[in-house]
Amino acid sequence: MNKTIFAMMVALTATPAMAHTALMACYDEGNGYITCEGGFSDGASAEGVEFRIEQNGSVVMETKLDEFGEVYFEKPKGDFTVLLNGGEGHVVHVDGRDITE
């Protein structure tokens, strides 16, 4: 078999590696609380993924996303950042100033 044809056959039958990206959206509920929803671009659940709130360089809350890939928390006073840590290369930061009703 010709090397070019063999290479084309291998390329056409190989399964491509499926990369996924961590995603998170946060919403101010208007009642002093925020809901954040996490997931992955390939549709995978973010259940049990690490979530934390940071203020002034310190972690002020740390938890894991629930079975729906969500977390509900009281809105911190002042500037803060929320972080979803889906593992190496899959970390999402959202500035608290960007979380609106």
Side-chain angles (χ1 to χ4, degrees), residues 1-6 9:
M1 181 180 285
N2 170 321
K3 286 184 184 179
T4 304
I5 293 173
F6 179 75
M9 288 176 61

Side-chain angles (χ1 to χ4, degrees), residues 2 4 7 10-11 13 19 21 29 32 35-36 41 49 55 63 65 72-73 75 79 83-85 88 93:
N2 170 321
T4 304
V10 169
T13 60
T21 302
E29 299 291 347
T35 298
C36 291
S41 61
V49 171
Q55 247 181 339
T63 189
L65 297 183
Y72 182 76
F73 58 93
K75 184 176 181 176
D79 292 337
L83 181 136
L84 174 74
N85 184 358
E88 189 174 332
H93 295 89

Side-chain angles (χ1 to χ4, degrees), residues 6-39:
F6 179 75
M8 287 174 44
M9 288 176 61
V10 169
L12 292 173
T13 60
T15 304
M18 294 294 183
H20 62 271
T21 302
L23 306 168
M24 180 170 61
C26 298
Y27 311 95
D28 186 325
E29 299 291 347
N31 60 1
Y33 286 82
I34 293 173
T35 298
C36 291
E37 303 170 336

Side-chain angles (χ1 to χ4, degrees), residues 43-61:
S45 171
E47 177 182 356
V49 171
E50 177 189 341
F51 175 90
R52 68 178 181 251
I53 302 170
E54 298 177 350
Q55 247 181 339
N56 302 320
S58 298
V59 176
V60 296
M61 181 186 140

